[in-house]
């Protein structure tokens, strides 16, 4: 049994310690908001936070996640209150197919934790590991700036 | 489709509800974030519902549910289609519930005997029917209220889900459900539809309805489906096209903890396990003997060399206007050039997958598909069961781009065959590599073009020979579409009927038959022909010493809609004005799927790398039913096409696909994504598509800008391969 702290809850997982965190989340814990896109840390669809840092869960074995705080897309909202990034995503109609968006949002949330007012270069740096095949990049860029605004106290529309 | 006949949905079908609502103040309250009821008990229809048609249901609690038979792959049908019905029903489209339809002839494509999402036709082919159904339901509710009040129908009106009369009385739609059920339905063809000038919602900006569930990770894609007792499988697929399974040793695979079963299926050797990780480890441990002798000779480079020679020979004539041979003799200057485009993978963000359960009652499937009817048919054939024994549940698609409208239903059939005999539901996962190497690409295309201008600099003739594997001919649509001579319209769409005025035009085709499976890829033939024709027109402008935009204006002067789109893109981009140092403009225009799109790309080239800074796009899609979705789909189409133009390339060596994942098959990332401005041109023309037409112009617009910047003409895609350092 491996014990993991996920979204503030201690969860037990019966799996090999070398199983990538992604498969434990999806297949065993049924937290399917975190997506599989490449399996080799190329696309960012599987991004979750480990102790607040964005990581690619497809490329992290369970053994490396033990003892850390894991946050997935399911744990980003504060109860019914969506995270400013999620609010901005809705406000600016970012999503299309939506498959990449859990990962995009996790990367954006992590960026805004460190940087309350990111500029284009900061956004490029933080978001470049997240692929979107539907071409939502211009809106992601705009929505991160909008989320920063909401976070700083601006109203969501 | 029976326009507003009484097509009803299967009552006992599992209903997948997406609770949809607008988020106020950033809270999820009121979102009705109903989890997808995967695995939940069947939800029947309580008798209190008023369901005049398969498309709509009104409940006594006022809930209006629109049932959508089109697959949502990002293109926004769950927003645009309910809006059309809501407009005529007179309810707020942001308040309606959307339900994903099962497979039912009521949802068939009007031109095909099948439920199918593709060809950028969802809005154009359902617009009238959805309006009529909404109007019919509204008329029925009005009649019910008139009955109840004993009032003259003419004195009644509706107002956002409420019927009112002239004396100030009102009844909610929900309160009229029983009464409406007791009356016979008004004849839908006799109902007057709204005058478009009175539209409240159609043509107005509206946010997407599926955002709330997609930003919280709660939208269920095919890959997310969980069924009780479900196992997960991966298939060791042939390493090369045409490879055959000689034998395999599963001893080590079976020893992997979590592996349940290993079995040969037509597409390879399936490893069935408790979860994905065990299946993958089991597959790694398999020892397989493949016979790849038949595919050794197959390579994209080899095909290229063969096709270069082939392109010099006469082919099937797809179009012949005037007399190119005579015209070339009288021409002042001419070019003879070769244009090449690589195989391309669709690379949907969600790799292919499907869940299947085969029982004595038949086969049930859960998958993201664009092609439900055909999937059902192929699955029935593969399992040897009746079509009526196959049940398909459509989930959200993590991208489609044509790949999820498989001509052979590969991912559905796979899953059904793996699940057969297992006695439990099985999810067949495709890894990224399985997906990318599994075939079904945009075809490799080799083009030889001779073109010439006359003394006035204007084109006198174009002779275009294309060599490629025909797309429609390799699908079920081939029978309808391909001529008896073998001419596939998808190979010459956009070249034979290009809008530019070319007095002498000859288009010829060589159909190839290499073992590489091909398929429609967002915009089908147009992303190929759009690149070739728009590049050639630019070359002619250069030959004539003319500005490429002014030159195109001249060539489109008889086509007012095209001209308006071209001019709008150019003026919005400030064509001809001074740009930032080192930045250059290129322009292109393509008509496809009933819409006309022009794009101006602003590009700089530095150290052999092209950087696209801004794309200005103008689109005339007739009526923009959902302008927000038109803009979003133009952005999407542009970036999908740009990704391919810059870096996209599938190479074949020894019958094997070289690229396997995003490290080798490079796709556009945020840092390289340009700013995009979209301008909708209103022409009053018929409704056109929006999912695909944004893609074709971007490659030539960028390459034309590269020519302006460097003098190098890119005649072979991707750009990163051709651009000199
Ligand atoms: S699935 Fe982990 S980065 Fe792509
Ligand atoms: S929204 Fe489809 S991949 Fe990003």
């Amino acid at each position: 049994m491996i014990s993991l702290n996920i979204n503030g809850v201690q969860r037990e997982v019966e799996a090999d310690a070398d199983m990538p965190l992604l498969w434990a989340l999806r297949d065993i814990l049924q937290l399917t908001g975190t997506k599989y896109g490449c399996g080799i840390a190329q696309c960012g669809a599987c991004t979750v936070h480990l102790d607040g840092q964005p990581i690619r869960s497809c490329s992290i074995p369970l053994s490396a996640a033990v003892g850390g705080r894991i946050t997935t897309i399911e744990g980003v909202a504060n109860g019914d209150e969506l995270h400013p990034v999620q609010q901005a995503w809705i406000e600016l109609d970012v999503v299309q197919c939506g498959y990449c968006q859990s990962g995009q949002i996790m990367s954006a949330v992590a960026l805004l934790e460190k940087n309350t007012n990111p500029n284009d270069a900061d956004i490029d740096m933080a978001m470049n590991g997240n692929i979107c095949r539907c071409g939502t990049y211009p809106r992601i860029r705009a929505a991160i700036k909008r989320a920063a605004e909401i976070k700083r106290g601006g109203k969501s529309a | 489709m029976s326009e507003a006949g009484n097509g009803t949905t299967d009552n006992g079908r599992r209903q997948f509800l997406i609770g949809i609502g607008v988020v106020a103040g950033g809270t999820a309250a009121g979102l009705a974030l109903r989890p997808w009821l995967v695995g939940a008990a069947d939800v029947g229809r309580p008798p209190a519902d008023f369901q005049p048609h398969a498309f709509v249901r009104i409940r006594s609690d006022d809930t209006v549910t629109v049932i959508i038979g089109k697959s949502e792959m990002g293109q926004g049908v769950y927003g645009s289609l309910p809006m059309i019905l809501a407009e005529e029903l007179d309810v707020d489209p942001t308040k309606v519930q959307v339900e994903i339809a099962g497979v039912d002839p009521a949802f068939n494509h009007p031109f095909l005997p099948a439920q199918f999402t593709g060809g950028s036709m969802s809005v154009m082919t359902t617009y009238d029917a959805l309006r009529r159904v909404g109007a019919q339901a509204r008329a029925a509710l009005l009649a019910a209220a008139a009955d109840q009040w004993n009032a003259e129908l003419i004195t009644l009106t509706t107002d956002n889900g409420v019927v009112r009369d002239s004396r100030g009385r009102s009844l909610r739609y929900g309160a009229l459900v029983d009464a409406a059920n007791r009356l016979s339905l008004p004849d839908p063809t006799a109902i007057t539809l709204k005058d478009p000038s009175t539209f409240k919602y159609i043509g107005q900006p509206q946010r997407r309805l599926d955002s709330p569930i997609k930003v919280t990770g709660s939208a269920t894609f095919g890959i997310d489906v969980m069924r009780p007792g479900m196992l997960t499988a991966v298939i060791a697929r042939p390493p090369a096209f045409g490879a055959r399974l000689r034998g395999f040793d599963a001893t080590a695979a079976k020893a992997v903890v979590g592996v349940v079963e290993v079995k040969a299926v037509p597409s390879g050797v399936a490893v069935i396990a408790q979860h994905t990780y065990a299946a993958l480890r089991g597959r790694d441990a398999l020892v397989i003997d493949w016979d790849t002798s038949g595919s050794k000779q197959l390579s994209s480079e080899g095909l290229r060399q063969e096709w270069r020679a082939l392109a010099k020979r006469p082919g099937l004539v797809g179009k012949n206007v005037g007399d190119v041979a005579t015209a070339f003799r009288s021409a002042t200057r001419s070019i003879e050039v070769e244009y090449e485009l690589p195989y391309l993978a669709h690379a949907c963000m969600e790799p292919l997958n499907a869940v299947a359960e085969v029982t004595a009652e038949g086969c049930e499937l859960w998958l993201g598909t664009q092609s439900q009817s055909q999937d059902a048919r192929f699955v029935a054939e593969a399992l040897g069961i009746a079509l009526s024994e196959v049940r398909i549940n459509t989930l959200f698609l993590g991208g489609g781009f044509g790949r999820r409208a498989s001509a052979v239903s590969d991912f559905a059939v796979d899953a059904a065959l793996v699940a057969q005999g297992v006695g439990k539901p099985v999810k067949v996962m495709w890894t990224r590599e399985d997906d990318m190497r599994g075939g079904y690409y945009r075809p490799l295309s080799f083009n030889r073009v001779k073109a010439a201008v006359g003394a006035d600099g204007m084109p006198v003739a174009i002779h275009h020979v294309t060599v490629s594997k025909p797309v429609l001919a390799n699908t079920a649509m081939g029978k309808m579409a391909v001529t008896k001579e073998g001419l596939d319209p998808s190979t010459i769409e956009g070249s034979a009927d290009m809008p530019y005025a070319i007095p002498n035009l000859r288009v010829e085709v060589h159909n190839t038959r290499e073992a590489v499976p091909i398929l429609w890829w967002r915009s089908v033939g147009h992303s190929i022909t759009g690149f070739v024709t728009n590049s050639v027109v630019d070359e002619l402008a250069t030959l004539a010493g003319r500005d490429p935009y002014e030159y195109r204006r001249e060539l489109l002067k008889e086509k007012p809609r095209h001209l308006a789109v071209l001019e709008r893109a150019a003026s919005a981009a400030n064509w001809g004005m001074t740009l930032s140092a080192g930045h250059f403009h290129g322009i292109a225009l393509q008509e496809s799927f009933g819409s006309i799109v022009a794009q101006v790309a602003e590009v700089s080239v530095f150290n052999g790398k092209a950087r696209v800074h801004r794309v200005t796009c103008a689109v005339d899609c007739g009526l923009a039913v959902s302008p927000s979705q038109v803009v979003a789909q133009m952005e999407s189409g542009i970036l999908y096409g740009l990704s391919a133009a810059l870096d996209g390339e599938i190479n074949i060596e020894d019958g094997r696909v070289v690229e396997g994942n995003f490290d080798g098959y490079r796709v556009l990332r945020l840092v390289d994504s340009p700013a995009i401005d979209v301008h909708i041109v209103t022409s009053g023309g018929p409704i056109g598509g929006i999912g695909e037409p944004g893609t074709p112009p971007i490659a030539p617009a960028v390459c034309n800008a590269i020519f302006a910047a460097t003098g190098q003409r890119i005649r072979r895609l991707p750009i990163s391969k051709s651009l000199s350092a």
Side-chain angles (χ1 to χ4, degrees):
Chain A
M1 270 307 178
I2 292 175
S3 185
L4 297 172
N5 182 311
I6 301 173
N7 300 327
V9 180
Q10 210 62 34
R11 306 282 303 261
E12 307 302 316
V13 179
E14 181 155 354
D16 269 13
D18 60 357
M19 179 189 278
L21 175 59
L22 171 68
W23 300 122
L25 291 172
R26 289 185 53 83
D27 290 1
I28 300 178
L29 298 169
Q30 308 203 351
L31 290 167
T32 54
T34 303
K35 304 302 189 205
Y36 162 74
C38 69
I40 57 166
Q42 281 285 322
C43 78
C46 65
T47 306
V48 300
H49 296 175
L50 182 60
D51 294 325
Q53 292 300 315
I55 55 146
R56 311 299 179 213
S57 65
C58 68
S59 302
I60 294 270
L62 287 179
S63 55
V66 171
R69 279 179 301 111
I70 299 158
T71 309
T72 70
I73 186 72
E74 290 89 351
V76 164
N78 182 5
D80 273 352
E81 173 88 16
L82 293 180
H83 188 281
V85 169
Q86 294 169 312
Q87 293 176 35
W89 247 241
I90 292 172
E91 192 181 316
L92 298 190
D93 249 351
V94 172
V95 311
Q96 291 199 19
C97 85
Y99 192 79
C100 73
Q101 299 296 344
S102 299
Q104 305 280 3
I105 289 169
M106 295 311 288
S107 292
V109 168
L111 166 64
L112 292 184
E113 286 301 317
K114 290 191 306 217
N115 184 341
T116 53
N117 193 14
N119 61 25
D120 281 332
D122 301 327
I123 294 172
D124 284 349
M125 185 90 85
M127 302 304 294
N128 220 36
N130 288 86
I131 292 172
C132 174
R133 291 290 289 152
C134 296
T136 66
Y137 298 129
R139 290 175 193 237
I140 287 174
R141 189 184 291 285
I144 290 176
K145 294 178 182 171
R146 177 71 189 119
E149 226 170 75
I150 298 172
K151 233 183 149 199
R152 291 195 307 266
K155 271 233 167 94
S156 116
Chain B
M1 173 157 29
S2 61
E3 231 193 15
N6 266 330
T8 51
T9 46
D10 168 2
N11 207 353
R13 179 178 306 119
R14 284 178 185 81
Q15 308 288 8
F16 293 83
L17 299 177
I18 341 172
I20 269 169
V22 169
V23 182
T27 66
L31 261 183
L33 269 187
R34 262 181 255 193
W36 280 51
L37 299 173
V38 178
D42 288 355
V43 183
R45 233 190 304 138
D49 290 354
F50 173 51
Q51 180 155 20
H53 187 274
F55 293 170
V56 66
R57 187 167 61 231
I58 300 164
R59 188 157 280 184
S60 54
D61 66 1
D62 288 336
T63 313
V64 174
T65 303
V66 179
I67 300 106
I68 302 293
K70 293 291 173 189
S71 303
E72 176 61 74
M73 44 192 168
Q75 85 283 39
V77 283
Y78 292 172
S80 53
L81 303 188
M83 180 202 273
I84 299 167
L85 193 146
E87 178 73 60
E88 294 286 349
L89 179 58
D90 197 6
V91 293
D92 180 350
T94 62
K95 301 271 158 54
V96 303
Q97 302 271 334
V98 174
E99 188 179 302
I100 303 179
V103 185
D104 189 287
F107 299 99
N108 275 4
H109 194 288
F111 307 154
L112 303 168
Q115 200 163 321
F116 179 82
T117 310
S120 296
M121 287 190 280
S122 293
V123 168
M124 73 170 101
T125 58
T126 57
Y127 182 70
D128 289 329
L130 285 165
R131 286 183 69 192
R132 285 208 178 275
V133 170
Q136 183 195 35
R138 176 176 172 273
L141 294 163
L142 279 167
D147 228 32
Q148 205 133 324
W149 288 329
N150 214 351
E152 285 288 326
L153 198 52
I154 191 112
T155 64
L156 307 187
T157 170
T158 59
D159 172 19
N160 193 14
V162 176
V163 181
R164 298 188 193 284
D165 77 350
S166 49
R167 296 166 43 194
R169 287 182 292 191
S170 66
L171 277 168
R172 295 175 297 101
Y173 283 3
L176 290 162
V177 157
D178 286 336
N181 271 328
R182 286 194 297 270
L183 298 175
S184 56
L185 284 174
D187 174 4
T189 55
I191 293 168
T192 321
L193 298 177
K194 272 189 168 178
D195 176 344
S197 68
T198 68
F199 282 165
K200 283 204 275 187
Y201 307 111
I202 292 176
Q204 297 303 313
Q206 185 196 296
R207 281 188 199 163
R208 289 186 71 101
L209 301 178
D210 52 359
S211 289
I213 53 173
K214 286 180 174 176
V215 301
T216 49
S218 51
T220 306
F221 295 83
I223 205 167
D224 301 328
V225 169
M226 297 282 171
R227 301 293 304 164
M230 186 182 84
L231 298 171
T232 301
V234 292
I235 298 174
R237 298 171 188 278
F241 295 118
R244 285 172 198 287
L245 180 67
R246 273 207 207 100
F248 65 97
D249 177 357
T251 319
K254 283 182 175 159
V256 172
V257 178
V259 170
V260 175
E261 202 180 326
V262 177
K263 68 175 191 178
V265 289
S267 56
V269 181
V271 179
I272 306 167
Q274 299 293 351
H275 45 66
T276 313
Y277 185 56
L280 289 172
R281 294 224 316 196
R283 184 169 76 171
D284 287 345
L286 270 178
V287 183
I288 306 186
D289 183 14
W290 294 104
D291 175 3
T292 57
S293 55
S295 55
K296 283 271 183 288
Q297 301 308 316
L298 182 62
S299 78
S300 34
E301 187 54 34
L303 291 170
R304 223 187 131 212
Q305 298 306 338
E306 262 176 53
W307 295 6
R308 165 171 283 145
L310 195 54
K312 292 182 180 148
R313 299 214 295 269
L316 276 169
V317 179
K319 177 91 169 188
N320 193 25
V321 174
D323 178 354
V324 289
T326 309
F328 283 131
R329 280 196 291 277
S330 66
T332 312
R333 268 165 296 174
S334 67
I335 50 167
E336 218 166 331
V337 288
E338 292 168 340
Y339 275 89
E340 300 177 60
L341 297 94
Y343 290 115
L344 288 177
H346 301 77
C348 301
M349 203 66 227
E350 177 193 11
L352 296 172
N353 62 81
V355 175
E357 181 170 14
V358 182
T359 63
E361 280 89 66
C363 178
E364 182 159 8
L365 289 135
W366 293 262
L367 75 174
T369 177
Q370 298 174 241
S371 190
Q372 289 85 348
S373 308
Q374 182 180 273
D375 291 349
R377 191 158 53 76
F378 278 118
V379 165
E381 261 168 41
L383 296 178
I385 61 177
L387 187 57
S388 60
E389 293 173 312
V390 181
R391 200 152 95 163
I392 299 221
N393 302 283
T394 307
L395 285 298
F396 277 110
L397 284 65
F401 313 123
R403 182 61 181 92
R404 285 188 157 90
S406 163
V408 294
S409 297
D410 51 353
F411 55 106
V413 168
D414 244 357
L417 288 170
V418 173
Q420 190 177 31
V422 172
K424 285 180 177 166
V426 181
K427 179 189 290 179
V428 173
M429 290 278 295
W430 295 53
T431 60
R432 174 58 60 195
E433 289 82 1
D434 294 343
D435 181 298
M436 195 165 284
R437 295 194 167 124
Y440 300 101
Y441 308 119
R442 185 184 79 176
L444 185 72
S445 175
F446 194 98
N447 300 268
R448 185 175 177 82
V449 184
K450 186 171 179 193
V453 297
D456 61 353
M458 296 316 288
V460 292
I462 294 181
H463 182 191
H464 178 175
V465 182
T466 293
V467 186
S468 78
K469 193 165 172 179
V471 172
L472 297 182
N474 285 286
T475 72
M477 287 181 201
K479 279 196 211 76
M480 296 195 301
V482 178
T483 67
K484 64 176 188 311
E485 292 77 30
L487 191 73
D488 188 321
S490 70
T491 313
I492 59 168
E493 59 185 9
S495 57
D497 55 354
M498 69 171 106
Y500 301 115
I502 309 295
N504 300 282
L505 174 66
R506 187 175 172 91
V507 176
E508 290 170 50
V509 169
H510 293 276
N511 290 327
T512 64
R513 310 173 63 134
E514 72 274 17
V516 183
I518 52 120
L519 189 61
W520 31 55
W521 181 98
R522 197 174 195 170
S523 81
V524 200
H526 287 285
S527 74
I528 295 171
T529 59
F531 172 62
V532 179
T533 58
N534 276 286
S535 299
V536 166
V537 165
D538 236 61
E539 295 212 45
L540 295 181
T542 307
L543 216 50
R546 302 273 303 270
D547 174 81
Y549 163 58
E550 295 297 341
Y551 197 69
R552 282 178 168 79
R553 285 187 65 211
E554 182 88 23
L555 293 174
L556 294 171
K557 64 178 185 228
E558 308 291 330
K559 303 233 158 126
R561 282 183 69 191
H562 297 75
L563 194 58
V565 172
L566 185 81
E567 289 178 345
R568 182 67 172 278
S571 68
N574 293 319
W575 182 274
M577 311 280 209
T578 318
L579 300 172
S580 312
H583 290 207
F584 294 85
H585 271 159
I587 191 167
L589 174 141
Q590 186 84 354
E591 177 181 0
S592 61
F593 307 93
S595 294
I596 304 161
V597 179
Q599 287 160 13
V600 174
E602 182 181 333
V603 177
S604 65
V605 179
F606 186 66
N607 274 345
K609 184 171 169 11
R611 201 174 156 73
V612 184
H613 301 273
R614 176 173 294 276
V615 177
T616 308
C617 171
V619 51
D620 174 358
C621 58
L623 175 66
V625 168
S626 177
S628 331
Q629 284 319 305
V630 173
V631 173
Q633 282 310 298
M634 286 303 118
E635 293 171 356
S636 177
I638 289 166
L639 296 182
Y640 195 74
L642 179 60
S643 180
L646 291 172
D647 289 315
E649 177 174 37
I650 287 285
N651 287 286
I652 317 279
E653 287 171 14
D654 300 331
R656 295 166 195 257
V657 179
V658 176
E659 295 75 14
N661 207 320
F662 292 123
D663 48 355
Y665 191 78
R666 281 187 295 147
V667 297
L668 191 79
R669 290 174 183 270
L670 180 131
V671 67
D672 291 319
S673 175
I676 300 175
D677 302 314
V678 178
H679 303 268
I680 297 175
V681 177
T682 315
S683 67
I687 297 181
I690 56 155
E692 295 167 275
T695 299
I698 189 62
V702 169
C703 291
N704 293 341
I706 289 173
F707 177 77
T710 64
Q712 188 190 349
R713 180 60 66 185
I714 304 292
R715 299 197 184 96
R716 184 180 181 193
L717 294 179
I719 292 165
S720 58
K721 183 168 195 162
S722 294
L723 192 57
S724 332

